[in-house]
Amino acid sequence: MHILILPSEHLVTEKAPLAGVFQLEQARALARAGHKVGVISVGVITLRHLLAGYPYKEQEQFENLYIARRYERIFVPARYYPHKFFQKKVSRMFFTEYDAYVKEHGRPDVVHAHNFLHAGLVAAELKDKHGIPFVLTEHSSSFARGGVPEGLNSDLRSLCEKAASVNCVSLSFKKLLNQRLGVNFEVFHNIVDDIFFEKRRIEKKDDYFRFLNVASLDDNKNQALALRAFSKKFKNQKYRLAFIGDGPLESKLKNLAKQLGVVEQVEFLGRLPRESVRDEMLKSHCFVLSSTFETFGVVLIEALACGIPLIATKCGGPEDIVNTGNGILIDVGSEDQLAAAMEKIVKTHDNYRPEQLQ
């Protein structure tokens, strides 16, 4: 089968190495399974990259996987563009790349669009023009955070009617989308990159117990909650808390660690490649997700693949993943519950055998 994948975001570029990484992993998995796979990623380069530049590979080929990228600069923040104008811009870029793709690789049998905006709408337009069926998987937390205007509901329902299948990535997200659009979504969980299964944590007596968080440093990921909970139970003791990721709140979080008196116990490791994330998971004892909202939470299944137990907020996706056999769920924003869960994991850690976590 010839499958064309359409992300709604940039696809693993030098400046954004994690953008679209799940779509790329899906493409690689399908290619390994023997399918012919293409990925066309289109989008815009915003003002924050005006001076620093934004290098990316326009084309890549890996055996039976082909990738095309096309990103154009804009000089006004994307949020100020009218939806229809922005969609036309994305559509124009896509069809330029699509025509070149078909000449080189032939017509795809099916399209998998990731997210309504803007890949889903492009896939619906492609079906109208060329009759190619498509499936849609929605990932975006913008629905829960008010980023998708209600005025688009009619367009989104129409898109769902055209799709061969509409999916989302967790049960709670399915409920949210069903209520909003009156459409029955199926749950289609994200996959885990093979590298996270290559090794499992080997139990050993460490000098200190280490908690780990992997996420963008922003309001939604709420690392401040993890810092406060950690300081409440483990200040000036042989415990560590590590953060992987960067983002707008990095300096504030570092200052908070100083204010709480745990700066010597907290590591800010910055943005790391996937293999390094895996290695840091293998050096940790517990993964902590403190988010306000997650449509899924792929870092949780990555941590489980490495053999470490979980603590996560009941913020949507984690409820599909975390159970009493692999970790602890807490209420969103509860510092006391998170502190108590971290303390409990320390005391019961030997009960979570790496080879049995799933």
Side-chain angles (χ1 to χ4, degrees), residues 4 94-95 98 111 122-132:
L4 180 61
F94 168 76
F95 279 100
Y98 176 78
V111 169
V122 167
E125 187 178 354
L126 181 63
K127 182 182 180 183
D128 289 341
K129 289 182 176 180
H130 299 292
I132 300 174

Side-chain angles (χ1 to χ4, degrees), residues 221-255:
K221 304 302 183 179
N222 200 7
Q223 285 89 354
L225 179 71
L227 274 171
R228 292 191 178 96
F230 177 80
S231 68
K232 181 174 288 189
K233 293 292 183 180
F234 306 113
K235 183 177 179 179
N236 297 324
Q237 300 180 54
K238 286 187 176 182
Y239 296 89
R240 298 288 187 272
L241 173 60
F243 295 105
I244 296 176
D246 57 12
L249 296 186
E250 184 171 348
S251 61
K252 288 186 177 180
L253 291 168
K254 288 179 177 179
N255 287 334

Side-chain angles (χ1 to χ4, degrees), residues 219-222 289-294 313-316 332-333:
D219 285 327
N220 180 57
K221 304 302 183 179
N222 200 7
L289 185 142
S290 49
S291 301
T292 302
F293 184 83
E294 293 285 349
T313 52
K314 300 173 186 175
C315 61
V332 170

Side-chain angles (χ1 to χ4, degrees), residues 114-117 136-150 152-153 156-157 159-160 167-168 172-173 176-181 185 293 295:
H114 291 266
N115 296 346
F116 284 110
L117 307 177
L136 171 81
T137 300
E138 183 59 53
H139 307 255
S140 178
S141 61
S142 296
F143 280 91
R145 295 185 284 110
V148 181
E150 295 282 342
L152 293 179
N153 284 359
L156 302 185
R157 290 190 192 97
L159 187 158
C160 291
N167 313 281
C168 61
S172 63
F173 196 29
L176 184 155
L177 291 170
N178 287 356
Q179 288 177 342
R180 173 163 173 171
L181 300 176
F185 283 73
F293 184 83
T295 58

